[in-house]
Amino acid sequence: MTEPASEILAVLIVGAGFSGLAMAIRCRQAGIGPLQVIEKADGIGGTWHDNTYPGAACDIPSHLYSLSFAPKADWSRMYAPQPEILAYLRETAERNGLMPLIRLGTTFRGATWDETRGLWQVETDRGPILTRAIVSGMGGLHHPAYPDIPGRDAFAGAAFHTAAWDHSVDLTGKRVGVIGTGASAIQVVPELAKVAAQLTLFQRTPPWIMPKHDHAIPEGAKARYRRLPLARRLERARLFWLHEVRAFLGFTKVSKLTGQAEALARRHLAKAVTDKDLRAKLTPDYRLGCKRVLISDDYYPTLQRPNVTLETDGIARITETGLTTEAGRSHDLDVIVYATGFDVTATFARMHLVGRDGLRLTQAWSNGMGAYQGITVAGFPNYFMLLGPNSGLGHNSVVSMIEIQVQHVLDCLQTLRTGNRAIEVRPEAQARFLDRIRSRMADSIWQAGGCRSWYLDASGRNTTLWPDSVMAYRRSARRARLSDYRLG
Ligand code: NAP
């Protein structure tokens, strides 16, 4: 196959969520092209396009959960609701001239490295693409996970996942069952309880919950941020450091302060829930930070509404009319909402990538996922991941991680403009980095905190989160150390 040179891209970005859009903006600013972004959904926004459940919002403050190089002065609330974040991403893409570069409804199926030509041959459901480099902005949280409960197909009513909300179903006056008590559940439950006749929440593990203190941002502050960019930047810095210290407050490893953070969360629970039995059911039996620490002011009050029941008995099966628990209790339901999270490992395992010498990514990761700085993998030249393995966060804004990674990838892409055909991480540099991660993980809160979460893979290793502060990651990854790479 010989394509005209004009059809060979300099960079193909996969995914038009926060990561992909950030990468595309910075590539354009750096004059890197031709460039294309493919996106499987029918709109841009990634997570914020998919997750439209009632109450969807971000639990990181808006002024921090946004791109530093695409600021927005007039965020409506401390914690922006999903429609506002989605609108922000759309406006940002438009303002930066990205829309003509984005091909919606185009699914990345896989890619094969062509050593002779120094190119990736990409397969999509809309045909092949040739590109010198690929940047994956696919993230890990987009394949809904459904629980393996017997009888799931037997249910006669409507059933859907929080990340694939069926807006055609009116929940007013319905008997609704929600399975799961993670970050999505605690946002959706208060909204559903307002309209449902009866809401039954099926909890397997209670989360640690801190106060949220959400509020509308006063008009005066918005005007100030508009007038004085420095004031907005200071607010962002304040929020960054407020979250950054959480890395040392037990959010990454058990510290002297973990007990104090737990006491604060227990006080939040005690203040909100007076019933002793309910409080006991809502008290976690593992260390704070082991699972994502949640923030909410309306979740606990909602659980005390007369139309809400918290069921802590395990689910035995799903029937035509509802759910039966292990103790034999039956719950008749009209609708089941799965707030059961995402299949992270499957997302990465489904990447059909064939690198140098026919090496498949699934082979390279047969003992678990891992990438140098969470970005590059030996054997896969000119392939870069944003929010890849071990670059998620529990304590601060992932947008900060994305920006660090985008800079690293830009450094690498620049080397391809100066006569190099390929840039590939050296296996020894990758091994050194992964050793560092493993040794830091050994006493991390996720390993030692007495719980199981989606952060851990089947063998119990945390291959999803960065085990340190954002500043530590910045020092480690912001500039690509070219001695760790092989250029050719
Ligand atoms: P999640 O944290 O993985 O929670 C899934 C919930 O489903 C857990 O409570 C889990 O219980 C429960 N579950 C799974 N299988 C079950 C079964 N067979 N029976 C009973 N319960 C079952 O998923 P998520 O709430 O969608 O959040 C995923 C991630 O998305 C978060 O960690 C966060 O990174 C991101 N997120 C962020 C925001 C935000 O505001 N920034 C909002 C939503 C989501 P166990 O705990 O016992 O496993």
Side-chain angles (χ1 to χ4, degrees), residues 286-324:
Y286 55 90
R287 303 308 303 268
L288 177 137
C290 187
K291 286 172 185 276
R292 187 178 177 91
V293 179
L294 309 181
I295 54 169
S296 174
D297 294 330
D298 54 1
Y299 179 72
Y300 287 145
T302 296
L303 299 187
Q304 295 168 93
R305 289 174 64 119
N307 67 333
V308 175
T309 305
L310 180 70
E311 175 59 87
T312 54
D313 192 17
I315 303 167
R317 59 171 34 256
I318 299 178
T319 64
E320 200 180 332
T321 54
L323 297 181
T324 308

Side-chain angles (χ1 to χ4, degrees), residues 57-59 141 147 180-184 187 204-205 291-292 339-341 454:
C58 188
D59 60 9
L141 300 176
T181 52
S184 303
Q187 293 180 346
R204 189 163 65 180
T205 316
K291 286 172 185 276
R292 187 178 177 91
T340 43
W454 66 263

Side-chain angles (χ1 to χ4, degrees), residues 235-280:
E235 170 65 356
R236 185 183 172 92
R238 182 186 75 84
L239 293 168
F240 175 83
W241 286 107
L242 216 59
H243 285 74
E244 187 70 337
V245 294
R246 301 205 298 185
F248 311 103
L249 287 180
F251 278 55
T252 57
K253 54 168 65 180
V254 178
S255 85
K256 286 193 189 112
L257 297 167
T258 303
Q260 288 176 34
E262 289 171 349
L264 187 73
R266 276 204 203 91
R267 271 203 301 280
H268 179 50
L269 171 61
K271 233 166 102 182
V273 178
T274 45
D275 181 286
K276 243 177 85 188
D277 289 341
L278 182 60
R279 214 160 58 214

Side-chain angles (χ1 to χ4, degrees), residues 36 40-41 51 58 65 110 125 159 203 213 228 277 342 393 471:
Q36 211 173 77
K40 70 173 156 59
N51 285 273
C58 188
Y65 193 80
D125 59 348
Q203 169 187 284
H213 303 310
L228 298 168
D277 289 341
F342 301 88
L393 282 185
M471 288 314 279

Side-chain angles (χ1 to χ4, degrees), residues 402-423:
I402 292 170
E403 291 198 21
I404 294 166
Q405 298 189 325
V406 163
Q407 182 56 54
H408 183 107
V409 176
L410 269 185
D411 284 354
C412 293
L413 292 177
Q414 293 291 10
T415 68
L416 300 180
R417 298 170 97 191
T418 50
N420 298 295
R421 283 196 334 163
I423 176 164

Side-chain angles (χ1 to χ4, degrees), residues 147-283:
D148 200 8
I149 301 170
R152 206 154 58 73
D153 295 332
F155 185 61
F160 45 86
H161 194 278
T162 44
W165 199 261
D166 185 345
H167 289 275
S168 70
V169 178
D170 181 6
L171 299 175
T172 312
K174 298 273 168 58
R175 295 164 304 173
V176 181
V178 177
I179 304 176
T181 52
S184 303
I186 70 149
Q187 293 180 346
V188 77
V189 161
E191 295 308 309
L192 299 189
K194 287 177 194 164
V195 297
Q198 170 66 35
L199 188 146
T200 310
L201 176 61
F202 295 86
Q203 169 187 284
R204 189 163 65 180
T205 316
W208 283 102
I209 303 178
M210 295 285 212
K212 186 169 185 182
H213 303 310
D214 188 17
H215 56 83
I217 296 178
E219 290 306 319
K222 290 185 203 170
R224 196 166 57 250
Y225 296 148
R226 245 190 315 262
R227 230 179 28 251
L228 298 168
L230 181 64
R232 183 186 38 70
R233 279 205 295 275
L234 285 174
E235 170 65 356
R236 185 183 172 92
R238 182 186 75 84
L239 293 168
F240 175 83
W241 286 107
L242 216 59
H243 285 74
E244 187 70 337
V245 294
R246 301 205 298 185
F248 311 103
L249 287 180
F251 278 55
T252 57
K253 54 168 65 180
V254 178
S255 85
K256 286 193 189 112
L257 297 167
T258 303
Q260 288 176 34
E262 289 171 349
L264 187 73
R266 276 204 203 91
R267 271 203 301 280
H268 179 50
L269 171 61
K271 233 166 102 182
V273 178
T274 45
D275 181 286
K276 243 177 85 188
D277 289 341
L278 182 60
R279 214 160 58 214
K281 287 179 180 174
L282 292 169
T283 304

